[in-house]
Amino acid sequence: MPLAGIIFDFDGVLANSEPLHLRSYQEVLSSHGIELTTSNYYNRYLGFDDLGVFRAIAKDQKLKLSEHPLRELIRVKSERFDVLVGLEDGLFPGAVSCVRRIATEFQIGIASGAINNEIETVLSNAGIRHHFKVIVSSGDTPRSKPAPDPYLRAVELLRPFTVAAGHDPDGCFVAIEDSRWGIESALAAGLRCVGVAQTYPPEALEEAHKVVSTIGDIEPDVLRRVCLDI
C-alpha cells in the first residue's frame, strides 16, 4: 500500500522534553508534599497527558481532587514547563533534519498528549512549525493515548492535505512513537508504526512494525517499507 502521510508523537520522539515534564511535575507536586521519583514517572505515568498524570497520581496517593484543583495543577505545571523549555533547546539531535526531509515528500502531522502551546512553542523556536499540517494535542479528543482517538483524529484532519498533494487518502499512514502506550494507540487506530528507542529500549517497543535507535535514523524509505506488507 502506498504511503499517504506521517504522524509524529511529540514528547520522546521530536522533543527531548520528558526530563522537563518530570522536573515540572516534581516541582508542582513537591509543594503539595508529594514525591515523584524518576523511575515511577517513566514506569507508571509517562504515557498520560497532564490531566491523566495528575488523576493517576491522585488515585495512587488516595487523594480526592475535584476538577478545579486539577486544572490549577495543570496550569502551574504548564507555566513551569514553559520556563524550562525557554532555557533549553528542547529537540532531539536530528529531529529538525528528519522533519524537513520527510516534509519535502509527504504531509505530516502530530498526535500528542502534550498541551498545544507547549508543542507550538518548541516547534516555532526550532523553525519547523510550518511543516506540520495538523496538530492534535491534549484535550482535542474525548480520550487520550493509549486510546486510538488522537491518531484517528490526526488522520481525519491530515487526509485533505494528502489529497491536495496527490497522495492516496486511503493509503498507509505511519505513526512515529517512543512508548508502548503510543504504539498501542497507533495500532488501535489502524496505523503502521515506527518505534524510536530514545525513551525506552528497543525491546520495549517490539509491537511496532519497525524500531530505530534515534529520530535521525528515519528516512522516507524506512517509512515506505513499513507499508509494503499491508
Side-chain angles (χ1 to χ4, degrees):
M1 183 178 291
L3 177 58
I6 298 92
I7 301 170
F8 291 81
D9 180 35
F10 185 68
D11 292 323
V13 170
L14 295 173
N16 188 18
S17 49
E18 293 301 355
L20 304 185
H21 283 294
L22 173 58
R23 284 170 58 187
S24 302
Y25 286 127
Q26 288 174 326
E27 292 178 15
V28 172
L29 292 168
S30 65
S31 65
H32 294 270
I34 299 173
E35 179 186 7
L36 176 60
T37 65
T38 300
S39 61
N40 208 19
Y41 174 68
Y42 281 98
N43 293 328
R44 172 77 177 93
Y45 304 116
L46 183 141
F48 297 106
D49 60 12
D50 283 353
L51 181 59
V53 167
F54 285 120
R55 279 179 170 166
I57 290 173
K59 180 180 179 181
D60 292 344
Q61 297 286 330
K62 296 181 171 55
L63 302 174
K64 291 185 178 180
L65 291 177
S66 62
E67 198 68 14
H68 178 72
L70 280 171
R71 294 296 175 184
E72 181 63 13
L73 287 171
I74 292 171
R75 183 190 67 79
V76 175
K77 180 266 176 182
S78 182
E79 288 182 351
R80 183 55 188 156
F81 179 83
D82 287 345
V83 171
L84 294 174
V85 165
L87 299 174
E88 303 192 21
D89 176 67
L91 290 177
F92 280 105
V96 171
S97 58
C98 174
V99 167
R100 287 175 176 164
R101 64 176 171 263
I102 292 175
T104 61
E105 296 190 44
F106 298 101
Q107 307 303 295
I108 64 174
I110 285 176
S112 171
I115 295 173
N116 185 266
N117 74 284
E118 296 175 354
I119 299 172
E120 295 278 356
T121 297
V122 173
L123 296 181
S124 296
N125 288 347
I128 56 173
R129 171 61 184 90
H130 63 287
H131 289 301
F132 294 92
K133 303 302 183 184
V134 301
I135 294 178
V136 176
S137 56
S138 177
D140 288 341
T141 55
R143 298 175 297 174
S144 58
K145 300 175 186 179
D149 303 35
Y151 279 109
L152 289 173
R153 180 59 174 159
V155 169
E156 178 185 15
L157 293 174
L158 195 58
R159 272 205 171 99
F161 294 100
T162 67
V163 172
H167 297 292
D168 183 355
D170 296 319
C172 172
F173 285 84
V174 178
I176 302 177
E177 271 288 350
D178 74 305
S179 73
R180 61 182 177 85
W181 298 276
I183 294 170
E184 181 180 339
S185 173
L187 297 182
L191 279 69
R192 307 294 282 181
C193 189
V194 174
V196 182
Q198 297 176 149
T199 307
Y200 295 100
E203 56 268 23
L205 310 178
E206 59 185 11
E207 294 301 316
H209 298 94
K210 170 75 175 178
V211 178
V212 297
S213 297
T214 72
I215 188 67
D217 296 322
I218 296 182
E219 301 281 350
D221 282 346
V222 171
L223 301 171
R224 290 188 184 94
R225 282 196 293 272
V226 302
C227 296
L228 290 179
D229 59 348
I230 296 178

